[in-house]
């Protein structure tokens, strides 16, 4: 039996790791990393810092990297492109499990935030187990999500009293706020979808709490009436992406009571 630990490592700050995640890191014989190229060197550096800080001195482990399969950023069929990407990632994980692990060993996969929230690592490992080609057991260790970090950094509760909150993506937000919900936490928005809600006459008075690179030295936080700060967020987001070659951001939008 080979054991895979899918470890949520939080939104960026090495101190976001839970005690359970630290214990999991100290069980691994090998860590699997998907290399996303030179533009993401800071992400690699953060993972390395997490290992330096939380894996006990003298603890021996191997680091195995493989190129992350490229994704189509503007697919004609989004769901089909996600299936293709996950199939490619499953093939990469399978090769690493076959060639880089011995029976009885434990491997760790470090997942930003929490593995349950808009991440496919659990699905990919489940799919490998389902093939029956490998004797694999796996565990999931939760982490601090970007949504949790966002609320903490802005010092706000995520919900208003007795009201629901929707977790959604920028792609889905193009359809508008979900019915009967005034608070939406948005992830994976590559198109600045929030800007379409900045027209107060059309969409009412909307406030936004936005954050990028949460928990890292590059962190940016902006909040206020969306009509007042939408252009600033767009500008800062563009500048940060140009400077770093990538951006990880999320935001909470809330319609004020009418």
């Amino acid at each position: 039996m080979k054991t895979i630990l899918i470890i949520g490592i939080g939104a960026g700050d090495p101190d976001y790791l839970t005690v359970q995640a630290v214990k999991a890191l100290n069980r691994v014989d090998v860590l699997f990393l998907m290399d996303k190229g030179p533009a993401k060197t800071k992400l690699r550096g953060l993972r390395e810092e997490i290992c330096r800080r939380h894996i006990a001195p003298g603890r021996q482990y191997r680091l195995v990297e493989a190129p992350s399969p490229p994704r189509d950023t503007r697919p004609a069929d989004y769901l089909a492109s996600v299936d293709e990407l996950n199939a490619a990632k499953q093939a990469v994980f399978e090769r690493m499990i076959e060639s880089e692990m011995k029976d009885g060993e434990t491997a760790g996969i470090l997942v930003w935030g929490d593995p349950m929230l808009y991440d496919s690592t659990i699905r990919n490992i489940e799919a490998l187990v389902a093939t029956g080609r490998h004797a694999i057991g796996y565990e999931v260790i939760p982490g601090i999500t970007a949504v949790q970090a966002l609320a903490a950094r802005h010092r706000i509760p995520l919900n208003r009293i007795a009201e629901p909150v929707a977790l959604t993506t920028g792609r889905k937000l193009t359809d508008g706020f979900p019915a009967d919900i005034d608070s939406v936490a948005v992830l994976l928005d590559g198109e600045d979808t929030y800007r379409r809600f900045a027209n107060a006459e059309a969409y009412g008075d909307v406030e936004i709490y936005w954050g990028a690179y949460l928990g890292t030295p590059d962190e940016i936080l902006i909040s206020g009436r969306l009509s007042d700060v939408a252009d600033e967020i767009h500008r800062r987001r563009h500048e940060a992406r140009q400077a770093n070659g990538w951006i990880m951001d999320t935001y909470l939008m809330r319609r004020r009571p009418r």
Side-chain angles (χ1 to χ4, degrees), residues 191-238:
E191 304 297 330
D192 293 340
T193 308
Y194 59 87
R195 299 181 80 192
R196 69 178 56 200
F197 299 94
N199 184 335
E201 290 186 7
Y203 295 101
D205 197 1
V206 178
E207 58 188 4
I208 189 169
Y209 299 88
W210 175 82
Y213 312 110
L214 292 163
T216 78
D218 295 321
E219 181 179 87
I220 309 169
L221 299 171
I222 298 173
S223 63
R225 278 196 169 96
L226 184 57
S227 56
D228 294 336
V229 301
D231 288 343
E232 180 188 0
I233 293 172
H234 176 69
R235 176 181 59 81
R236 295 288 300 279
R237 190 178 189 278
H238 176 74

Side-chain angles (χ1 to χ4, degrees), residues 3 17 26 48 50 61 63 100 106 111 128 162 173 180 218 224-225 258:
T3 301
L17 259 70
N26 282 277
E48 290 175 344
I50 285 169
Y61 65 95
L63 193 63
E100 302 293 344
T106 298
V111 176
L128 288 181
L173 189 63
D180 301 320
D218 295 321
R225 278 196 169 96
R258 298 167 180 80

Side-chain angles (χ1 to χ4, degrees), residues 101-132:
M101 292 183 72
K102 301 174 184 176
D103 287 339
E105 286 194 323
T106 298
I109 301 174
L110 307 184
V111 176
W112 292 109
D114 188 295
M116 61 85 185
L117 185 61
Y118 290 112
D119 183 86
S120 291
T121 305
I122 296 173
R123 296 185 187 93
N124 292 332
I125 298 302
E126 281 181 337
L128 288 181
V129 172
T131 67

Side-chain angles (χ1 to χ4, degrees), residues 130-144:
T131 67
R133 292 193 293 266
H134 309 279
I136 300 173
Y138 69 96
E139 301 172 29
V140 178
I141 291 86
I144 300 296

Side-chain angles (χ1 to χ4, degrees), residues 74-94:
R74 296 186 179 276
D77 185 330
Y78 176 74
L79 291 179
S81 73
V82 171
D83 287 342
E84 290 173 2
L85 177 63
N86 281 331
K89 287 184 175 181
Q90 289 162 24
V92 173
F93 282 133
E94 185 165 27

